[in-house]
């Protein structure tokens, strides 16, 4: 049916004429240029923290001051006192403790590493020659180093260098690995300890046996005699045996696996404009989706002495999603592993007696929602008693708990309304664990990471304290810690702390932020407001343009990513954030972690269970309204939203389900229907089997609700999210007779909106529909 059409060419002029006088109309060429130039200037001006490294004995730290002349200067810090000494006075004391050992690996460079530096010091009484060994192992000359001279050589990680003397005498081969390394050429060969080649895969601890797969079946080789014994006969294309092989310490037993295969789904897509030919290419990749059948994998216990290979079976192992972390007891009396049921609602630590193949449940997690196994699994056996340290959210918060060898509960090791983020280190002799924690300080951002030590009696010692997010490095002997911390609005600080109690020895470095501030670039503002329940704190940041005028009005744009696998608002310092590039065009841009994202309480996370369409929107909208009360320049009559991947799903969901708040959206490579996306991520939060909630949460089935302005972006070669997910939204929008914009990018994979063209089109769309002007970027 033909419909009358109306030109909208006059719309920007009309909107500008109707806009109140305090509304800013930006989106000009100057705004686009300022966004680009400020990003570049801020990154160039920001001085990253100066990396410090411990000497091998842990008595000192050293770094290079790049501002101290063309060669820089070595700075050495006494770890016990924090006293700093510079170059010449310190060099002889420390250089032999940091000198680089030779490289015993392949004599060729590998590409793709970060830029680093090797300093070559020639202590000989004659010149030496320097060669770069390229990726083919060929020598490339890099000149000579005179007697007594030093060469500061910029290179890249994994590049290999050769030093030669008279008559092509080899003086050393070195591979760049750390950010800075010192090579001393003095006639001695400082080689790494010769590493014996690892035994062939599948070899028993005593070297007597070697497990392998022969024509889909299990076999074992007597290494001494060369006799190979086939242990199974039923292997074929559909049912085969495989590794990895887990040997018992005494070499009598090993665990292998039998896998009954199923037909695997493939996703097909067409590359319309390949570089190497005129005609399109068809691509196909294996891609398992929610609800698809999975292979049946069964542990097999092999008794090498008896030549038997028998399956382990138990109701506690039914419907496996994964089986991992296999471990034999030191006396080979049992092996244990972590079993996760499909649907991600049950996780068990199981023990198997190899003699009887009897299976016992040591520990079980079975919440009413999901087990976040991909982020919150930790199991450690403390010998000789075999006590078990186990990570769990059973208290409502992610903590560590102690069980005895048989799975009887002993005590919580950590507890309270905060979370353990990870275990950095275990010390069985001292009966302690070094852990990362978050939310432990009620007056700090609950996502800030701190470091602590806890013993098996539950005594906790804090090792960091500053209001920021922390990353630590221990000295080789553990006596000292390097604590590098920052905050989204605070540049990096490096502190030296004592390893036993976390007390401060010295502040080693404070990044100078003045050059970045001089560019005019703004840092985000942290902001916290109550969520949907009126009680829970919701944290986020606000990005404003560098020329922000608080007396004017600016449209608000949310950059959204609500994936439950993590939290996504930046916490560490960065001289420039991608959201700032959008803000510079005339917007206030916000980022928020609503309920359903990770890193807080179990209840906070559980909002996502079978409910990805929620995406924390009630919390986000409440937060933005509170932010607008805090900053009246935020114009809530003009609100946009954009995101990619799960954020693309979220951005469209905001338009569909909250059209009274979000009126403009850009959705890039979205997983718009969770039945169309990869199995693990979607079944983890939406559950199994696939039920009606999948359909209800789909943007495809809700596409008829669209009211605002929408730009869909997709790369035709997206191997992460099936591109058909976006095209099914397109089909539903057409069926519903909805207007929208679509950008399909040939030859582009996941994250099409982050390409230069996709990024510009996203910015243009927001400018056009929220600022009411045509972008003037030419």
């Amino acid at each position: 049916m033909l419909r009358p059409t109306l030109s909208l060419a006059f719309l920007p002029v009309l909107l500008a004429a109707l806009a109140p006088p305090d509304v800013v109309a930006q989106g000009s060429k100057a705004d686009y240029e300022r966004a680009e130039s400020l990003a570049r200037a801020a990154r160039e001006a920001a001085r990253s923290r100066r990396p410090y490294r411990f000497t091998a004995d842990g008595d000192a730290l050293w770094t290079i001051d790049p501002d101290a002349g063309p060669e820089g200067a070595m700075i050495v810090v006494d770890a016990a006192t924090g006293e700093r000494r510079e170059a010449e006075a310190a060099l002889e004391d420390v250089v032999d403790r940091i000198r680089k050992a030779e490289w015993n690996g392949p004599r060729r460079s590998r590409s793709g590493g970060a830029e680093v530096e090797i300093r070559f010091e020639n202590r000989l009484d004659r010149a030496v020659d320097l060669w770069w060994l390229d990726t083919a192992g060929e020598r490339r000359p890099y000149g000579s180093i005179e007697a007594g001279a030093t060469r500061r050589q910029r290179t890249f990680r994994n590049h290999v260098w050769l030093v030669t003397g008279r008559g092509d005498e080899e003086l050393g081969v070195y591979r760049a690995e750390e950010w800075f390394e010192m090579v001393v050429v003095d006639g001695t060969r400082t080689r790494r300890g010769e590493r014996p080649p690892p035994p062939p895969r599948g070899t028993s601890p005593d070297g007597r046996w070697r497990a392998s797969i022969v024509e889909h079946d299990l076999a074992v080789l007597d290494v001494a005699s060369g006799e190979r014994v086939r242990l199974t006969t039923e292997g074929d294309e559909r049912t085969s045996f495989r590794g990895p092989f887990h040997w018992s310490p005494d070499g009598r037993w090993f665990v292998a696996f039998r896998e009954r295969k199923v037909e695997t789904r493939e996703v097909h897509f067409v590359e319309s404009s390949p570089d190497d030919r005129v005609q399109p290419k068809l691509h196909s990749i294996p891609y398992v989706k929610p609800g698809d059948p999975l292979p049946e994998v069964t542990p097999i216990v092999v008794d090498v002495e008896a030549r038997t290979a028998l399956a382990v079976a138990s109701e506690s192992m039914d419907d496996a999603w994964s089986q991992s972390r296999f471990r034999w007891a030191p006396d080979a009396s049992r092996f244990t592993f972590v079993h996760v049921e499909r649907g991600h609602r049950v996780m068990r630590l199981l023990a198997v007696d190899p003699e009887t193949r009897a299976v016992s449940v040591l520990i079980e997690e079975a919440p009413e929602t999901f087990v976040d196994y991909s982020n919150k699994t930790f199991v450690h056996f403390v010998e000789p008693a075999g006590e078990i340290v186990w990570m769990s959210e059973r208290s409502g918060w992610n903590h560590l708990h102690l069980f005895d060898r048989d799975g009887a509960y002993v005590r919580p090791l950590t507890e309270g309304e905060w979370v353990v983020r990870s275990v950095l280190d275990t010390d069985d002799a001292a009966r302690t664990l070094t852990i990362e924690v978050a939310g432990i300080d009620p007056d700090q951002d609950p996502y800030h990471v701190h470091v602590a030590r806890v013993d098996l009696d539950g005594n906790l010692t804090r090792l960091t304290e500053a209001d920021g997010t922390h990353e630590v490095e221990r000295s080789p002997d553990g006596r000292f810690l390097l604590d590098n911390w920052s905050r989204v609005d605070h540049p990096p600080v490096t502190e030296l702390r004592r390893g036993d109690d976390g007390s401060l020895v010295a502040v080693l470095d404070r990044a100078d932020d003045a050059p970045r501030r001089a560019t005019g670039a703004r840092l985000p503002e942290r902001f916290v407001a109550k969520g949907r329940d009126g009680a829970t704190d919701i944290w986020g940041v606000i990005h404003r343009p560098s020329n922000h005028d608080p007396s004017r009005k600016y449209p608000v744009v949310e950059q959204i990513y609500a994936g439950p696998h993590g939290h996504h608002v930046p916490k560490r310092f960065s001289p420039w954030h991608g959201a700032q590039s959008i803000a510079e065009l005339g917007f206030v841009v916000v980022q928020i972690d609503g309920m359903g994202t990770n890193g807080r309480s179990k209840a906070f996370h559980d909002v996502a269970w079978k409910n990805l369409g929620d995406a924390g929107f009630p919390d986000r909208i409440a937060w933005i309204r509170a932010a607008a009360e805090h900053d009246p320049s935020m114009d809530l009559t003009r609100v946009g939203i954009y995101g990619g991947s799960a954020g693309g799903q979220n951005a469209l969901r905001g338009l569909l389900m909250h059209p009274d708040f979000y009126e403009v959206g850009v959705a890039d490579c979205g997983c718009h229907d969770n039945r169309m996306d990869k199995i693990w991520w979607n079944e983890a939060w939406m559950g199994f089997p696939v039920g009606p909630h999948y359909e209800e949460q789909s943007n495809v089935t809700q596409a008829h609700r669209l009211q605002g302005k929408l730009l869909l972006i997709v790369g035709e070669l997206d191997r992460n999210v099936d591109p058909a997910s976006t095209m099914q939204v397109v089909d539903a929008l057409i069926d519903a007779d909805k207007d929208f914009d679509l950008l399909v990018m040939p030859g582009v994979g996941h994250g099409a909106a982050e390409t230069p063209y996709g990024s510009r089109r996203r910015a243009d769309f927001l400018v056009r529909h929220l600022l009411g002007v045509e972008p003037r970027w030419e």
Side-chain angles (χ1 to χ4, degrees), residues 53-82:
R53 290 291 182 267
F54 285 103
T55 55
D57 55 16
D59 289 340
L61 304 95
W62 60 274
T63 189
I64 298 297
D65 182 354
D67 301 324
E71 295 298 321
M74 176 177 286
I75 306 295
V76 179
V77 179
D78 184 307
T81 65

Side-chain angles (χ1 to χ4, degrees), residues 198-212 219-229 247 251 254 304 307:
R201 186 174 300 178
T203 303
S204 62
D206 57 10
R208 182 180 175 189
W209 306 103
R210 187 175 305 148
S212 64
V220 65
L221 173 74
D222 185 321
V223 175
S225 69
E227 179 189 5
R228 187 185 301 274
V229 177
W247 280 94
F254 70 86
V304 178
R307 304 292 197 267

Side-chain angles (χ1 to χ4, degrees), residues 649-664:
Q649 176 188 23
N650 306 146
L652 177 52
R653 194 73 175 184
L655 290 184
L656 298 179
M657 307 308 289
H658 303 277
D660 56 332
F661 191 77
Y662 300 99
E663 61 177 275
V664 178

Side-chain angles (χ1 to χ4, degrees), residues 708-765:
K709 300 293 184 181
L710 170 65
L711 170 61
L712 294 168
I713 302 177
V714 65
E716 69 176 5
L717 298 184
D718 193 335
R719 288 171 166 79
N720 186 340
V721 175
D722 186 346
S725 187
T726 293
M727 300 312 295
Q728 289 183 2
V729 172
V730 170
D731 183 61
L733 290 170
I734 292 172
D735 284 348
D737 198 26
K738 297 293 183 178
D739 292 333
F740 62 96
D741 285 34
L742 171 66
L743 173 61
V744 179
M745 298 192 66
V748 175
H750 198 60
E754 303 311 317
T755 65
Y757 183 78
S759 178
R760 197 267 294 170
R761 286 290 302 274
R762 176 177 62 197
D764 288 355
F765 194 81

Side-chain angles (χ1 to χ4, degrees), residues 264-270 282-289 292 675-678 716-725:
T264 300
R265 179 192 301 274
E266 288 188 334
V267 165
H268 311 281
F269 38 82
V270 173
L282 175 66
H283 295 265
S284 300
I285 59 172
Y287 195 102
V288 185
K289 297 186 177 185
D292 284 357
R675 297 168 295 185
M676 289 289 293
D677 195 24
K678 64 195 77 66
E716 69 176 5
L717 298 184
D718 193 335
R719 288 171 166 79
N720 186 340
V721 175
D722 186 346
S725 187

Side-chain angles (χ1 to χ4, degrees), residues 238 259-266 286-297 319-321 342-343 675 677-680 683 688-690:
R238 300 292 296 178
E259 181 173 330
R260 301 190 191 280
K261 296 180 173 61
V262 298
E263 187 173 349
T264 300
R265 179 192 301 274
E266 288 188 334
Y287 195 102
V288 185
K289 297 186 177 185
D292 284 357
L294 295 177
E296 178 187 322
V297 179
D319 205 12
W321 165 259
R342 187 170 185 181
R675 297 168 295 185
D677 195 24
K678 64 195 77 66
I679 184 173
W680 81 265
E683 285 194 5
F688 175 81
V690 174

